[in-house]
Amino acid sequence: MQTVTKVTRQRRMGRYNIYLDDEYAFAVDEKILITYNLFKGATLDDAAIEQIKSAEFSQKAYTRALIYATGQMRTSQQVYLKLKEQGYDQQIIKDVISRLKDDHVLDDVTYAETYVDQAKSAGKLGPRGVKFKLQQAGIDQFVIEDALAAYTITDQVDALAERVGQLLEKNARHSTFLAEQKTQQKLLQQGFDQRLIQQAISEHRAIEAPDADQEWENLDRDATIAANRYASFEGWEFKNKLKAAMYRKGYDLNLVDRWLKQRD
């Protein structure tokens, strides 16, 4: 048997050094100190010491997980992967996650609902994009579906009304056709519904028609670059290559013919 002869507080809050028979033995969390009554005069056999060390190891895992999970909202899977990365075994991780759930630190349902609300407010992810992110975070499929019920078609329409204008402006250096294609592609990648995207683009164009001067300016720039690239060709072959290049960029071939006539 060994006796606790001294207990000193560390600089780190909630940590204590334990001395057995006047020699430093180990450090413990305050919770372990109280749970195992590690105060001066307590006696410990080898089995008790090993139990305390094991409990301290688990408590350390809990403390690390608690810090990780309270810095920002986390899912059970995220905490699991973090502890696994730090070398803790499956049983300790399972126990820690269970404690965190009991302490209402981890709640995958609340996480999913909050993520959906934030995504709706930000307007940068559609329902499929949100679903993918939640799946990555390890949220149960049924929990995801329940949370996504709050992301309505009206929410998508409102988000798209703003996003379409932003993306079309961002892609304004491209042809009108290509700008719309890039806008649609980006929004599909972000998980919005294709039909609603096309509807939003159409409604935007009904209010704000493509700028003909901008289209001509873009064509002039791109066609000039292509003309320099194909300068070694002449006549029909030159025009055919240039028109093919401009067609791939989404320009109307009648507009390209006009540019070629002006060049000649």
Side-chain angles (χ1 to χ4, degrees):
M1 298 289 284
Q2 297 183 66
T3 303
V4 177
T5 52
K6 184 167 65 172
V7 178
T8 61
R9 186 193 302 269
Q10 292 185 355
R11 290 184 179 179
R12 289 171 57 192
M13 185 176 295
R15 300 287 299 170
Y16 296 84
N17 297 319
I18 306 299
Y19 291 78
L20 299 177
D21 296 337
D22 296 321
E23 291 187 2
Y24 171 79
F26 47 81
V28 296
D29 184 90
E30 186 173 49
K31 181 179 178 64
I32 303 302
L33 179 81
I34 296 170
T35 300
Y36 289 90
N37 195 32
L38 296 176
F39 300 103
K40 187 174 180 179
T43 56
L44 304 171
D45 59 19
D46 290 343
I49 291 172
E50 287 305 311
Q51 185 179 7
I52 290 166
K53 288 181 177 180
S54 177
E56 166 59 21
F57 189 66
S58 296
Q59 180 61 27
K60 187 175 291 185
Y62 176 81
T63 302
R64 288 183 175 180
L66 183 63
I67 293 170
Y68 177 68
T70 52
Q72 68 181 69
M73 287 189 71
R74 304 288 185 181
T75 67
S76 299
Q77 176 178 278
Q78 289 170 339
V79 172
Y80 170 84
L81 293 174
K82 187 67 173 179
L83 291 177
K84 185 179 179 182
E85 178 186 297
Q86 293 176 343
Y88 292 101
D89 64 41
Q90 295 283 346
Q91 188 57 53
I92 286 178
I93 296 173
K94 182 179 177 181
D95 292 343
V96 166
I97 289 175
S98 179
R99 282 182 64 187
L100 290 172
K101 288 181 176 179
D102 290 343
D103 293 341
H104 305 291
V105 175
L106 284 182
D107 186 333
D108 285 357
V109 172
T110 300
Y111 181 98
E113 292 172 347
T114 301
Y115 193 93
V116 170
D117 286 341
Q118 291 175 343
K120 284 166 51 181
S121 297
K124 292 184 178 181
L125 283 178
R128 283 197 301 273
V130 172
K131 181 178 181 179
F132 177 72
K133 292 291 188 181
L134 290 175
Q135 287 173 333
Q136 283 187 315
I139 301 296
D140 178 81
Q141 186 66 28
F142 293 108
V143 173
I144 293 174
E145 295 300 331
D146 287 344
L148 280 175
Y151 202 144
T152 66
I153 290 178
T154 300
D155 293 324
Q156 279 198 76
V157 170
D158 291 343
L160 287 168
E162 185 172 349
R163 291 289 287 144
V164 162
Q166 293 171 345
L167 290 171
L168 286 174
E169 184 176 352
K170 180 179 179 180
N171 292 308
R173 284 179 59 82
H174 299 289
S175 68
T176 297
F177 176 82
L178 193 56
E180 292 178 358
Q181 287 294 305
K182 284 181 173 292
T183 295
Q184 179 170 304
Q185 182 180 25
K186 182 67 174 179
L187 292 170
L188 282 171
Q189 290 172 348
Q190 292 175 337
F192 289 97
D193 179 80
Q194 184 172 17
R195 181 183 62 82
L196 294 178
I197 294 170
Q198 293 170 340
Q199 177 183 310
I201 292 173
S202 296
E203 290 175 354
H204 180 85
R205 288 308 190 195
I207 298 171
E208 187 176 325
D211 187 330
D213 291 336
Q214 180 69 56
E215 185 80 349
W216 179 259
E217 183 180 320
N218 291 342
L219 171 62
D220 183 49
R221 182 194 63 245
D222 291 341
T224 298
I225 293 171
N228 291 333
R229 186 187 310 131
Y230 302 129
S232 59
F233 298 94
E234 296 180 351
W236 179 87
E237 191 172 12
F238 168 79
K239 290 182 179 180
N240 192 50
K241 285 184 174 296
L242 187 139
K243 289 174 74 172
M246 294 303 97
Y247 180 78
R248 288 193 295 272
K249 287 182 175 291
Y251 292 105
D252 185 283
L253 291 182
N254 291 325
L255 201 61
V256 179
D257 284 333
R258 177 181 152 198
W259 185 89
L260 285 168
K261 286 179 181 178
Q262 288 192 8
R263 180 178 182 274
D264 294 337

